[in-house]
Every structure is written in C-alpha cells, then in structure tokens.
Amino acid sequence: MKKKLKLKFQYDSPVMLTFAFIALIIFILDTFAFKGKLKDVWLITPTATGGQFPFAFSDFRSIIRLFIHVFGYDQSSVLVCNLIFILLLGPQMEDRYGSVIIGIMIFVSALFSGVLNACFCTNAVSGAEPVVFMLILLWTMMQLSRSNISASAIAVIALFITMLVFQKNPNGVVGVVIVAAGGLCGSLFAFLASPKARKAKKNEAALAEFRDETSPRFSIKSTGKGSGKSNKFGNKKSYDDSEETVIGSIEL
C-alpha cells in the first residue's frame, strides 16, 4: 500500500519573510525598471545640514526616509548577505519574541539609525545593516540567557563589525557606530518582552488541557478484563485505583 507524501506550506515568520521579500522586490524593480532612481530619491537616510539630503520637517520625504532607508541597496552582494542573516536569525527571533515585538524592534532600529545619521552625518546611507545587527544581538542575548558565554556569538559580532568597516561606510567610523547603535536600540525591546513568561503560560494552558478529560487533546485508552468492576468498597474503579493500563497522549 503506497503512502501519500503530504507537504504543507507554512509562512512561518510573517514579519521577517515579508521584510526580506519587500527588500528583494524593491531592489529588482529599482535595478531594472527605475535604474537606481528609486533608491537615490527615497531609500536613503536624510543627512545633517550641509549634507546631500539635509533633514527638514517641512519635507515629508525626509520623514519617510527615516524609516524606509533599510530597503535600499546599491549592490546585490550586500543585499544577499543581509538577507542570509535575516532569514537565518529572523524566524527564530520572531518565534521567540512574537511578530508584534519583532516588528517594533525593526521600526525602532531603522528610526534610530536614520535619526542619528540625520544629526551627525553629511553622507546618506541605506541598507538593513542596523536590523541585521539587531538580530545578531538578540541571538547573542539568547545564548547568554542560558548562562553561557558563546564564543561563536562573539565571533559573529566581531566579523559583522569587521565587514561593516571593510564595506567602507561613507561616513567612516561614525557610520559604523550608528549602525551598531541602531541595532542595539532596537534590541533593547527584548527586555520588555518576556519569552519565558509567555512559554510558561503556554505550558500552563497545556497542563490545564491535559487535566481536562473533555479536551480533544486528552485521550485515555483503557484495556484489561477488570474494566467496570467494583472494588471492595462497592465503588467502581477510578483511574487512580485501577490496575488497568492507562495510556495518555498530549498534543502540544
């Protein structure tokens, strides 16, 4: 008898996958349709006074640039490198903290790095490096939460910062510091979310369903010849005093 192979498609990380798809689609459209004009006009950070695109509250483009500059890319190699980090670490962090919290983290990281660039830099920059660094910090904090100092986590942070230096940020060392500060600021929201408390609640709910015999997640199968017989006190056997085999299954 042939068994049918059933595969179920799961959009397991809606925020991070959507973020990656938007960045990829914008890059393709900007490269082949707009010839780089989309990135040069919208997908860059505003700058300080005297820079390329000085920030002005009266210019709505300056405000929008504070948020959407993380979708702008010049080179496909940089885009692919960032998407690898995002798709490797993002779903795990979104599962840990939740889609809403991870979305807020991305928003804050992009905003904070955009504001810092508008305050201190004269060159406009783009790219999701602050978001990537935020995910790396969240992953590092997860390793530290297990009472271990992970050498691999420290190595990843060091290599990522080295990569930023060799990419020759237009604003030099200040630009690298801004990327790190944006990622750090976004990751601070991890302290407001308590994944352990959320998991504890899920465990409590699962235990409550296990104790509830009417729950569809709880099933008991009794086997044996003594089923339904009375004990010496004249009462029917319960699950506690029965000698029958009880098999319970829990679906978590």
Side-chain angles (χ1 to χ4, degrees):
M1 188 175 186
K2 296 182 179 180
K3 293 184 178 180
K4 293 183 179 180
L5 180 62
K6 295 182 179 180
L7 297 177
K8 183 179 179 182
F9 177 79
Q10 185 179 8
Y11 201 70
D12 57 336
S13 180
V15 173
M16 301 311 306
L17 285 174
T18 302
F19 182 91
F21 286 144
I22 291 175
L24 181 61
I25 291 171
I26 287 178
F27 177 78
I28 294 174
L29 290 175
D30 194 32
T31 301
F32 298 102
F34 296 99
K35 306 301 180 181
K37 295 180 180 179
L38 185 62
K39 182 254 178 186
D40 292 338
V41 176
W42 293 98
L43 306 175
I44 50 176
T45 59
T47 60
T49 304
Q52 294 175 317
F53 303 94
F55 178 81
F57 282 104
S58 58
D59 186 3
F60 75 97
R61 288 182 299 180
S62 295
I63 299 176
I64 294 177
R65 288 170 181 157
L66 293 174
F67 307 100
I68 65 174
H69 64 90
V70 293
F71 296 110
Y73 286 94
D74 284 325
Q75 302 176 3
S76 59
S77 58
V78 178
L79 170 64
V80 171
C81 180
N82 286 350
L83 289 184
I84 289 174
F85 276 107
I86 289 171
L87 295 177
L88 278 176
L89 301 179
Q92 186 179 6
M93 295 303 104
E94 186 171 348
D95 179 67
R96 179 176 174 82
Y97 294 102
S99 298
V100 175
I101 295 297
I102 206 72
I104 293 174
M105 290 180 183
I106 294 174
F107 176 83
V108 172
S109 180
L111 175 62
F112 196 75
S113 58
V115 168
L116 288 179
N117 200 87
C119 292
F120 301 106
C121 300
T122 57
N123 295 312
V125 295
S126 60
E129 282 81 5
V131 176
V132 173
F133 190 68
M134 177 199 73
L135 293 174
I136 293 175
L137 290 177
L138 292 175
W139 178 68
T140 304
M141 286 190 287
M142 185 180 69
Q143 305 300 317
L144 293 176
S145 66
R146 298 170 180 169
S147 302
N148 295 320
I149 299 177
S150 175
S152 59
I154 297 175
V156 169
I157 293 176
L159 288 173
F160 185 76
I161 294 176
T162 303
M163 183 187 71
L164 293 178
V165 173
F166 279 100
Q167 281 181 352
K168 295 182 179 180
N169 191 291
N171 297 308
V173 178
V174 176
V176 175
V177 172
I178 288 176
V179 170
L184 178 62
C185 186
S187 65
L188 291 179
F189 277 81
F191 295 102
L192 300 179
S194 54
K196 291 183 179 180
R198 189 170 65 249
K199 286 184 178 180
K201 288 183 179 179
K202 290 176 67 176
N203 290 337
E204 289 178 3
L207 287 175
E209 280 195 292
F210 174 62
R211 297 189 184 102
D212 184 8
E213 297 180 11
T214 63
S215 172
R217 295 187 175 218
F218 177 83
S219 63
I220 295 180
K221 183 180 179 181
S222 300
T223 58
K225 297 180 179 180
S227 177
K229 291 184 178 180
S230 301
N231 56 25
K232 62 181 180 179
F233 297 103
N235 298 324
K236 288 187 177 181
K237 289 187 177 181
S238 63
Y239 294 119
D240 293 332
D241 58 4
S242 176
E243 295 178 355
E244 300 168 359
T245 302
V246 180
I247 303 175
S249 63
I250 310 174
E251 181 182 348
L252 298 178

